[in-house]
Amino acid sequence: MSLDVTAGEALIQNNLEKFLLVLSVSLTVATLSRTVSWMRQIPYTLLLVIVGVFLAFEDVRLVNLSPELILEIFLPPLLFEAGWNLHWKNLKRDLIPVTLFAIVGVMISIFGIGWLLASFTDIPLPVCLLVGASLSATDPVSVIALFRELGVGERLTVLMEGESLFNDGVAVVAFGLLLGLATGSQEFSLQVTISDFAIFVGVGIGVGSAIGFGISYLTQRFDLPLVEQSLTLVAAYGTYVITENLGGSGVIAVVTTGVILGNFGSRIGMNPRTRLLVTEFWEFIAFFVNSIVFLLIGDRVQFDSLQESLIPIGIAIGGLLLTRAIGIFGLGGFSNSVAKSGIKLPELTVLWWGGLRGSVSIALALSVPVMLPEREEVIGIVFGVVLFTLLVQGLTTKSLLQNLSLLDENSRKQEYTEIVARRAALERVVQHLQQQEARSDIPQDFYDYQSSLIQGELKQLQQQLHQLQKEDPDLKDYASQMLKEQLLAIEADTYAEFVKSGQLTQELAPFLQGNL
């Protein structure tokens, strides 16, 4: 008995030491990438993959990256954070193209990649389709981390995030079906497939909505920032576990909960200070989890398996790029003509090239049962394609954005917003200073000095705003849009105050929404 206890304690200690090693390496690399100037040119997530690949090349294995570890521990907080920061009004505007990319685009990738692999290799068609399903969904972990790091514009970010967050449900359903076909445990039935997909998505949306709205109304009853922050963390993991046990999509459920709490619950149940604390908390969680995930992706690479599958990997990469182009440009053009989406060609180009694959693809590949003879080949192909998307597409996406002038515009808008925010803050300081001027315990010359100091800074900020608008006339339209959003936010916050105090039982429809 004592030997068993000792062995168990030794195993726990060994796993703990490995986890602390992963944590130390990942956070060190992530921190250096933000502080060392030349490292800033590479997104920290991709730098972590490179370090992980180097460790794998030296045969330093930090920890075994199992599918359960990715899907149950790492994925829920990353999905929730993305949903929390995804503005519903922006997603609603692009709901048609996002839906097309997330459903039809996945189908195009599955059958396109599967058909090309089956045509040019000796791998059976069901197994090739299984590879296509593993690679069909853009990975929200990889895509969101990369786009946040590069500072991509809001429209493009919403399109990419919306697609990557919702296409996993389609990919997982397709993977489960094709896994049954590849192992011979079930036969294809269109009616059963559609029914399973409807249940899978419906349960996810239903459970996610129930938990999201439930917590939203619960937080109206108290104002405890730490408790409300903890509830969001419980919601992320609890929603995923409950939905998966009920036979639904945990991915879709967590995203639904995050979108509801971020757009509705944080408005009616949290004061502005609490909203800021929760947002900053989830930004750190996303940074923390991303740092671990991307290091482990690189560290899990098996070079022997990659060398044996070079030809299938090359075919899969070509199929991935080809089917992605068909899906993005074809469906994007269809959405532009039918729904008047107005997605520009440079944005479609970035959506095509920026469709990275990552942890979800790896988790699906690793979940292939050992009984399938081609299991190692599936894993090798998927890992090879994932590394290509992360290291080749990921490292060149920034250059593509710069060449298409999609980063410069965003950085100018960000600079404009920062100046406007600073001006608004200093104007409030001036108002407070004027209110305190009647106090007899503070010398008048102190007021005069502080006032002149702030007025000089305000004058300088105003000159900077004029200069930016002169360099980029489109910023005037951006300023009008900012004012519109501020007016809508003031109206919504006022309704939320009435709801929170119990004077209203439900949110009123925004009056200014249509009039502006």
Side-chain angles (χ1 to χ4, degrees), residues 146-254:
L146 178 65
F147 273 54
R148 293 274 177 82
E149 183 69 14
L150 295 179
V152 177
E154 186 178 53
R155 175 83 188 279
L156 188 55
T157 302
V158 169
L159 286 168
M160 183 64 84
E161 286 187 0
E163 178 201 2
S164 62
L165 287 173
F166 290 108
N167 61 13
D168 291 282
V170 183
V172 170
V173 171
F175 181 86
L177 170 65
L178 294 170
L179 184 61
L181 295 176
T183 56
S185 60
Q186 70 181 74
E187 296 181 357
F188 178 76
S189 171
L190 182 61
Q191 184 177 358
V192 173
T193 301
I194 296 175
S195 175
D196 289 345
F197 176 74
I199 293 173
F200 196 71
V201 174
V203 172
I205 294 176
V207 174
S209 300
I211 293 177
F213 284 116
I215 293 179
S216 297
Y217 287 108
L218 179 64
T219 53
Q220 284 184 265
R221 301 182 178 276
F222 50 79
D223 184 18
L224 301 170
L226 290 179
V227 174
E228 295 173 71
Q229 184 173 281
S230 301
L231 277 175
T232 59
L233 186 62
V234 172
Y237 283 105
T239 301
Y240 186 88
V241 172
I242 292 172
T243 308
E244 287 291 320
N245 288 330
L246 291 176
S249 170
V251 171
I252 293 177
V254 173

Side-chain angles (χ1 to χ4, degrees), residues 79 82-83 85-88 90-92 94-103 106 137-140 143-144 147-148 154-170 251-252 255 259 324 351:
L79 293 170
N85 289 303
L86 192 62
H87 296 146
W88 170 247
N90 296 330
L91 179 61
K92 184 171 62 174
D94 290 318
L95 198 57
I96 291 178
V98 165
T99 303
L100 288 173
F101 295 152
I103 298 178
V106 167
T138 53
D139 182 16
V143 176
I144 293 168
F147 273 54
R148 293 274 177 82
E154 186 178 53
R155 175 83 188 279
L156 188 55
T157 302
V158 169
L159 286 168
M160 183 64 84
E161 286 187 0
E163 178 201 2
S164 62
L165 287 173
F166 290 108
N167 61 13
D168 291 282
V170 183
V251 171
I252 293 177
V255 172
V259 170
R324 180 74 178 169
L351 288 174

Side-chain angles (χ1 to χ4, degrees), residues 486-496 507-513:
Q486 290 170 1
L487 296 176
L488 289 171
I490 292 172
E491 183 190 7
D493 285 343
T494 304
Y495 295 151
E507 284 267 7
L508 295 179
F511 168 77
L512 294 176
Q513 186 73 53

Side-chain angles (χ1 to χ4, degrees), residues 91-102 104 155 159 326-344 347-348 351:
L91 179 61
K92 184 171 62 174
R93 180 186 62 184
D94 290 318
L95 198 57
I96 291 178
V98 165
T99 303
L100 288 173
F101 295 152
V104 182
R155 175 83 188 279
L159 286 168
I326 294 172
I328 292 298
F329 291 108
L331 297 174
F334 176 79
S335 178
N336 285 340
S337 62
V338 174
K340 309 300 179 186
S341 301
I343 307 174
K344 300 176 182 178
E347 294 173 329
L348 291 174
L351 288 174

